[in-house]
Amino acid sequence: HDTESGITTGGSTWAEIALSKQIIEEDLGNKVRSFRTGHLTMNKNIPITLKEAGYSFSSCYGSGDVLSAFPFFERIGNAWEGELSTVLQMPLHFSDVIMADPMTEDNWKEKPSLWLKVLNKLKGNYASSILLIHPNRKWKMLAQKMLVESMDRESVGLYNFEDYGDFWIQRHKLKFEYCVLDDNEKVLIQVDKLDVSNKAYVFGLDCRAGIQPKSVVLMDKEMNSIQLRVKQITATRYLAY
């Protein structure tokens, strides 16, 4: 692949995505669910190949390129319209590849503070951060460790990539209805099915037209109440989780 021209010669999308997955699973016995293209290089055949090869997640874009900090299901063929893929695309937010001032063995200690600045800006928008780091140098792993140690662990959680992806897939599958009761003072949310044994769910409420809920109640179809914590974000917006 020529990084300057963006042209790949003699490449095979199917071999890169499907065959490599098959070899790893058969030779090592490890289930492969995630994929990232080299240099975040994409072509129109990648989404359908990821789907047919049985991947769950991919991370092939920087969030600045797709203008979204949040995961999404991309469309087959990279078209604006058409079939949605079943593979969850999770954009990257920062990495050890820094074009303006490349990360080296001499300056790596300066980079975690840059990552942390991005992380905190995303955190202010209740968005997550995904770090792309190549574990080919010890000092890169030390930089990642420095980032983790500098986080406010009271307000920031750490998840591995696939656990985070599973959360978003469950969120996408969640079906719910809601109504407002008691003169606009109570919001009732009812869900078809909710497994809260090992998962967290977040509901964003945008309450306008005079609705100022004093309570938010979550119930399943059998009318069993599920405990919620509610946080007011702005005058009309709330998070229930």
Side-chain angles (χ1 to χ4, degrees):
H1 175 73
D2 187 330
T3 56
E4 292 186 4
S5 67
I7 297 175
T8 298
T9 303
S12 168
T13 298
W14 182 263
E16 179 76 11
I17 295 174
L19 182 60
S20 61
K21 179 177 187 291
Q22 179 182 340
I23 292 172
I24 292 172
E25 291 182 339
E26 291 182 356
D27 289 1
L28 302 180
N30 295 335
K31 178 65 176 176
V32 177
R33 303 178 66 202
S34 308
F35 180 82
R36 179 184 68 82
T37 56
H39 300 284
L40 303 186
T41 302
M42 288 289 290
N43 66 55
K44 65 180 182 180
N45 299 313
I46 288 178
I48 187 62
T49 309
L50 288 168
K51 179 182 177 181
E52 292 181 351
Y55 284 89
S56 300
F57 318 109
S58 65
S59 194
C60 301
Y61 295 101
S63 60
D65 292 327
V66 294
L67 302 182
S68 174
F70 297 94
F72 61 94
F73 292 96
E74 65 187 346
R75 296 191 182 275
I76 299 299
N78 280 356
W80 284 103
E81 299 178 348
E83 178 188 356
L84 282 174
S85 173
T86 56
V87 181
L88 186 69
Q89 186 69 241
M90 298 197 286
L92 300 160
H93 300 96
F94 43 84
S95 79
D96 56 13
V97 179
I98 304 172
M99 303 303 292
D101 183 18
M103 187 174 180
T104 68
E105 188 172 7
D106 297 323
N107 69 4
W108 67 266
K109 291 182 180 180
E110 303 169 7
K111 306 309 179 183
S113 62
L114 299 177
W115 294 341
L116 184 64
K117 184 177 180 180
V118 177
L119 183 147
N120 284 331
K121 285 184 177 293
L122 289 162
K123 174 174 169 285
N125 196 35
Y126 296 91
S128 59
S129 298
I130 297 180
L131 167 65
L132 165 59
I133 194 160
H134 301 78
N136 55 359
R137 299 288 188 275
K138 181 179 179 180
W139 47 265
K140 292 184 179 181
M141 307 314 297
L142 291 174
Q144 177 178 273
K145 183 173 184 287
M146 185 181 293
L147 171 66
V148 171
E149 290 175 345
S150 64
M151 293 177 184
D152 177 7
R153 294 303 307 281
E154 293 295 322
S155 60
V156 176
L158 290 177
Y159 301 88
N160 71 46
F161 185 80
E162 292 179 355
D163 285 346
Y164 176 61
D166 283 331
F167 162 79
W168 272 91
I169 288 177
Q170 290 297 322
R171 177 185 183 275
H172 178 73
K173 291 179 178 178
L174 181 65
K175 306 300 180 184
F176 66 93
E177 298 176 347
Y178 72 94
C179 62
V180 181
L181 306 171
D182 299 341
D183 294 328
N184 294 340
E185 291 189 351
K186 177 184 289 187
V187 175
L188 172 63
I189 303 172
Q190 189 175 50
V191 295
D192 289 330
K193 184 179 180 181
L194 195 65
D195 176 14
V196 295
S197 58
N198 61 352
K199 298 180 178 69
Y201 296 86
V202 180
F203 297 87
L205 308 177
D206 192 355
C207 300
R208 301 182 183 181
I211 300 173
Q212 299 225 336
K214 293 183 178 179
S215 64
V216 181
V217 179
L218 178 63
M219 307 190 80
D220 61 21
K221 285 296 185 182
E222 285 71 43
M223 302 304 290
N224 297 310
S225 179
I226 302 170
Q227 184 177 2
L228 275 180
R229 295 168 60 190
V230 180
K231 181 178 181 180
Q232 186 170 3
I233 306 303
T234 69
T236 61
R237 294 177 178 175
Y238 301 79
L239 286 181
Y241 52 98

